[in-house]
Amino acid sequence: LNIAGGLAQGFNSSLAIWQYRPDASLVGAQTIAGVGGASGIALSGGSQWLAVGGSSSPFLVAGATPLTGNDILISSAAPPQDTAAPVTTLTFSGGTLFNDDSGHLFASSATAFAFSAFDPVVAGTASGVAFTQYRINAGTFVDFAAAFMLPEGFHSIDYRSQDNAGNLEALKSSTVAIDATPPFTALTVQGSSQVSSGVILIEPQTPLSLTATDSASGVQDILLSVNASHFASSTAPFTLAAGTYTLSFYSRDNVGNQEAVQNAELRVQFS
């Protein structure tokens, strides 16, 4: 029985054995370790034999003679290599997000940021994610360990991951604006008025309107209550009949920041 030793192509290789009858026909092939056929070069009686992945027997290199007798040819195979970089996604939790018409992303101050990364399986192999790193506003890269929050303002977030085979993902970037400031609402009298002891005096059918401004994510809605009624959306000018009124109002922006309720006292009477 003759054993021909194979030349390993890498660590953690597969081991395959081909056994031949005296007439040089194949008895059988068996992969001892790993998955699939072996590959590499093996020597037997001074001849070279070439094994290719997935094959049940090696190919004889040109000029060599067929194996005879109970020769056993042993060859080793390197496992498939991981050549694909991980894929990383920026994730959000705990807050409110809003994309405006220009594609700008706004987030409330309660928003937590994190990353999700996986190493894709290519050709049956993946080495797994080794680390994910990120930087804020072009600062120093740090390894991601836990979710984090950001202060108010605009921020750039750059991030990437590397797998255990050393494949580094191309840098990804996202921009987000943290909005922690509520809108401001103003009551406007569209006509003549006076103020006496903090009470606004107007005539019946004088138009009133509420307008709100927000410097970041924008105004979502304005809500109005008249004399402690339920708050309802106010979108257009309105008038009041003669009488005394307490107007309560506030606004909310697109990431959920809510203004404190304001109150205005009005007396509507003919002059």
Side-chain angles (χ1 to χ4, degrees), residues 158-172:
D158 302 324
Y159 54 96
R160 61 191 178 189
S161 296
Q162 182 171 305
D163 65 18
N164 290 300
N167 298 304
L168 183 62
E169 182 182 15
L171 192 65
K172 293 180 175 178

Side-chain angles (χ1 to χ4, degrees), residues 42-261:
L43 301 177
S44 175
S47 298
Q48 288 187 339
W49 292 74
L50 178 64
V52 268
S55 65
S56 61
S57 62
F59 293 90
L60 183 64
V61 176
T65 56
L67 287 177
T68 59
N70 286 326
D71 288 346
I72 296 179
L73 180 62
I74 302 176
S75 178
S76 60
Q81 299 298 307
D82 181 0
T83 59
V87 178
T88 309
T89 303
L90 176 64
T91 65
F92 314 88
S93 62
T96 302
L97 303 178
F98 174 74
N99 283 283
D100 67 11
D101 293 338
S102 299
H104 299 128
L105 175 63
F106 294 87
S108 64
S109 58
T111 303
F113 299 84
F115 303 97
S116 173
F118 71 95
D119 196 32
V121 177
V122 178
T125 186
S127 59
V129 177
F131 62 81
T132 298
Q133 58 181 194
Y134 70 99
R135 66 183 180 185
I136 305 299
N137 299 332
T140 302
F141 276 104
V142 295
D143 287 346
F144 171 68
F148 57 92
M149 295 182 176
L150 294 171
E152 187 165 23
F154 283 85
H155 303 281
S156 63
I157 306 174
D158 302 324
Y159 54 96
R160 61 191 178 189
S161 296
Q162 182 171 305
D163 65 18
N164 290 300
N167 298 304
L168 183 62
E169 182 182 15
L171 192 65
K172 293 180 175 178
S173 297
S174 295
T175 301
V176 62
I178 304 300
D179 181 1
T181 302
F184 174 76
T185 308
L187 173 65
T188 301
V189 178
Q190 299 177 11
S192 60
S193 65
Q194 297 180 357
V195 178
S196 175
S197 301
V199 178
I200 301 172
L201 306 177
I202 61 173
E203 292 188 353
Q205 305 308 311
T206 299
L208 302 169
S209 63
L210 295 172
T211 56
T213 56
D214 186 85
S215 61
S217 62
V219 177
Q220 181 185 66
D221 55 12
I222 303 171
L223 294 112
L224 170 66
S225 167
V226 179
N227 290 341
S229 63
H230 291 294
F231 279 95
S233 177
S234 177
T235 59
F238 58 95
T239 59
L240 297 170
T244 300
Y245 299 90
T246 297
L247 303 184
S248 302
F249 51 90
Y250 68 92
S251 296
R252 298 178 294 194
D253 67 19
N254 285 301
V255 295
N257 295 308
Q258 181 173 304
E259 177 187 17
V261 175

